[in-house]
Every structure is written in C-alpha cells, then in structure tokens.
Amino acid sequence: MKKLLIDVDTGVDDAQAIMIAMAAPNVQVLGITCTHGNTALENVCRNTLRVLKVCKRLDDVPVYRGSSEPLLGRVLRAADFHGKDGLGDAPDPEAPGLELLQSEGAVAAMIRMVDDNPGEVTLVATGPLTNLALAVKLDPSFPEKLKALYLMGGNTDSRGNTTVCGEFNFAADPEAAYIVLNQFCCPTYIASWEFACHNNLSWSFCDTWLAQDTEKAHFMKKIFKHTMKVCLELERFQKEMCAGVGFTPCDCYAIAAAIDDTFVTESEQVAVTVELDGTNTRGMMVLDYLDMLKKKHKVSIMKKVDLVKFKAMLMGALQ
C-alpha cells in the first residue's frame, strides 16, 4: 500500500483528485491537510469533508485545518473559476460540519505522520504551498523523511494563468513555493500548468465521465457545472495561450502520478527556483537549464502521461 498525505485547497479539481485517491486500491491516505487558495480556508475544509462524504470515507480519512493566508503578500482566490465556495456554488444542506475536523493543526499533523512513517509517505500538494513551507521551517528534517513530493503548480514557459507569468498555486504564495523548491531535497515531481494543458482530455470524454449513473458522478456533475461553463467560454483564449481546448483536471495529474509510477511517460530533470522580486514575474517558476544556480537537487518536470490510464482513473473515481 502506498501511503499518501494530501495537501489541498479544495476547489473542483482538488475534489476530482481526492476522489481518484479514494478509489485507488493500492493507496492508504493517511490524512488530508487544508490550506487557503481556491477559496477561503473554512470553505476548503467544508469542501474536503463533502468530498469524503460522497466517497463514504469520512470515518477513516482525517482532515486537518491549515494555513488561512500566504506567508506574505496579498490573498488570491479563484472564485470566478471554482465558484465563491470552491465547489461551483452548489451547496448541500446535509453537508458535514466543521466539527468533524481534527483538533490537531495541519502542519503539526504533517510532521507527526511523516515522523511515524519515515521514508514511506508520499506528499501530494495541489494548492498553495504554505503548509509545506511552515512544516520545513518547524522541522528542517521534514523533507528528507518523505518518500517523494508531487506538486501541481508552477509553469515552465512563463505562461501565467493568474498573473502575467505566474500559475495560481505559486502566485498565491510565492515565498512558500520558493521555500519548498529550495529546501525540499526528496524526489520531487511537478505537474506544471503548461504540462496539464498539453495533456488535456476532450469534452466528449468529460460528458461520458459525468454520464455514469452513480452518486459520485451526480455529485461531480453538480459541482463542475459552473467551472465547465467558464472553461467553454474561455476556450479561444486557452487555445491561444496554451495547447488547445478541452477538459484539464489539473490537480488530478499530480495524484495520478503519485499513485501509478508508470503514469508519466516522459519527463525532464532540471533545477528550479521561484522568482520573488519581478514586477511581472513574481511567483514564476524558473528552470535552470544552464546550471547557473549550481543546485545539486533536480526536480522531475512531467512532460507526457499515459492518457488511457488517466481516463481509467477518472472513470473509476466516479463509480
């Protein structure tokens, strides 16, 4: 069994990623830690509990409240894309309450779970990296005790989706992204914004995916309606700025790669950092192809994936 610790800012694509992890037969999710990002922290916590409820996993997957704001700088939200509540503004009157959250804080829980399972835990982060940055500041040995780190975030071609040159998760806390990419020495795998766009799926597949007659599919169709509408309205822009149009479940790529070692079919090893000072480039991931940073630690930048396996994981998540 692979042991996963998942750090989220649960919007719609985080929900999709969590559901993939819940459906994976070879995975034990030790816990889910919540951070600010797509929506306010309290919404993230509620949304995570809602996803676990529909997956019937409230009893065995603990959820922890984490950082409510970035280390520095202004707070970013993605309400236009995910809805104000993060799940498409499609409320559930019977949603579980915040009393189900663990009393232990997210950062302390992360450190404890990794200490209890040294060398065994794969950490998957699909939101701003504030919790991870705080963990390494509290325990500098935290990264070396991880088995691996999988991130959805950053960009490789300076094509921003939030700022001129910044991807949302990194732009939402550039200092945290800088700390993680410069202080985490474990094997690190990054699903960047451009990578996700280049490996997207067709809307016809999305229709088939959502057409499954299950409680999970009905839930996903409900919360995904707002985001789908936004995506379809922006398709011309996406085609010009990235690699085409279609269904791009960004956070699912990181989860899929963490679950299946054969999922990524092409990647490149390169040293990276994050720009903190630029007027237009703050939060941009920098790839050091010239080895000017003289960093020993290289990350693995995902390039291509097995889309057949990806479709199967997504289909299975809603069954």
Side-chain angles (χ1 to χ4, degrees):
M1 296 287 285
K2 291 190 174 183
K3 295 181 179 180
L4 297 190
L5 173 57
I6 307 174
D7 190 73
V8 297
D9 62 336
T10 305
V12 175
D13 55 347
D14 303 80
Q16 294 161 353
I18 292 169
M19 293 175 82
I20 287 177
M22 294 300 106
N26 63 328
V27 165
Q28 176 189 5
V29 177
L30 299 177
I32 300 178
T33 52
C34 299
T35 187
H36 68 96
N38 288 322
T39 185
L41 178 63
E42 297 301 285
N43 289 337
V44 172
C45 294
R46 290 190 183 93
N47 295 347
T48 303
L49 293 169
R50 281 183 67 185
V51 176
L52 292 179
K53 177 188 174 185
V54 77
C55 293
K56 297 180 171 52
R57 300 292 297 274
L58 276 174
D59 293 335
D60 68 300
V61 179
V63 179
Y64 303 86
R65 182 189 279 110
S67 305
S68 61
E69 58 186 23
L71 299 179
L72 296 171
R74 65 189 180 97
V75 173
L76 291 181
R77 296 284 183 258
D80 290 345
F81 191 73
H82 291 280
K84 292 180 180 179
D85 71 351
L87 288 188
D89 295 323
D92 175 5
E94 299 181 358
L98 294 179
E99 69 276 3
L100 295 181
L101 295 175
Q102 302 297 306
S103 58
E104 185 179 21
V107 177
M110 293 170 77
I111 294 171
R112 173 183 55 78
M113 284 185 277
V114 172
D115 280 343
D116 290 345
N117 302 274
E120 298 181 30
V121 178
T122 295
L123 174 54
V124 185
T126 60
L129 300 176
T130 315
N131 288 338
L132 280 68
L134 291 172
V136 73
K137 287 303 180 183
L138 287 173
D139 179 5
S141 68
F142 177 75
E144 66 191 48
K145 290 178 283 191
L146 288 170
K147 180 179 181 180
L149 172 64
Y150 287 79
L151 305 177
M152 192 285 132
N155 50 348
T156 55
D157 302 327
S158 70
R159 296 179 178 180
N161 63 7
T162 301
T163 61
V164 175
C165 294
E167 176 275 333
F168 177 82
N169 288 339
F170 280 26
D173 195 339
E175 280 72 23
Y178 179 91
I179 290 169
V180 170
L181 292 188
N182 284 285
Q183 296 189 26
F184 275 62
C185 54
C186 58
T188 302
Y189 306 85
I190 299 179
S192 70
W193 165 241
E194 292 95 336
F195 153 81
C197 292
H198 282 285
N199 288 272
N200 61 13
L201 302 171
S202 68
W203 285 115
S204 61
F205 167 77
C206 184
D207 291 340
T208 301
W209 180 57
L210 295 176
Q212 298 179 89
D213 189 14
T214 67
E215 181 183 358
K216 294 177 185 178
H218 298 160
F219 169 77
M220 183 54 61
K221 188 173 184 178
K222 179 180 178 181
I223 67 170
F224 198 26
K225 183 178 179 180
H226 171 81
T227 302
M228 286 180 66
K229 181 180 178 181
V230 173
C231 287
L232 290 168
E233 290 173 350
L234 293 176
E235 278 203 337
R236 184 185 65 82
F237 172 79
Q238 290 177 323
K239 187 172 183 179
E240 291 175 356
M241 294 300 296
C242 214
V245 297
F247 172 39
T248 310
C250 294
D251 295 339
C252 295
Y253 298 94
I255 283 283
I259 291 171
D260 186 344
D261 296 336
T262 67
F263 173 67
V264 178
T265 59
E266 183 181 329
S267 61
E268 63 178 343
Q269 303 293 315
V270 62
V272 297
T273 189
V274 177
E275 175 59 44
L276 297 180
D277 298 322
T279 300
N280 294 310
T281 57
R282 176 171 160 79
M284 182 179 76
M285 186 165 71
V286 178
L287 281 67
D288 181 22
Y289 288 114
L290 300 180
D291 196 30
M292 296 182 70
L293 299 176
K294 305 301 180 186
K295 292 180 67 174
K296 293 182 179 179
H297 181 58
K298 306 287 197 296
V299 305
S300 180
I301 303 291
M302 302 179 201
K303 304 295 285 186
K304 294 181 181 179
V305 299
D306 187 330
L307 292 179
V308 173
K309 287 185 177 180
F310 195 39
K311 290 177 182 179
M313 286 186 184
L314 284 163
M315 292 296 290
L318 299 189
Q319 290 174 358

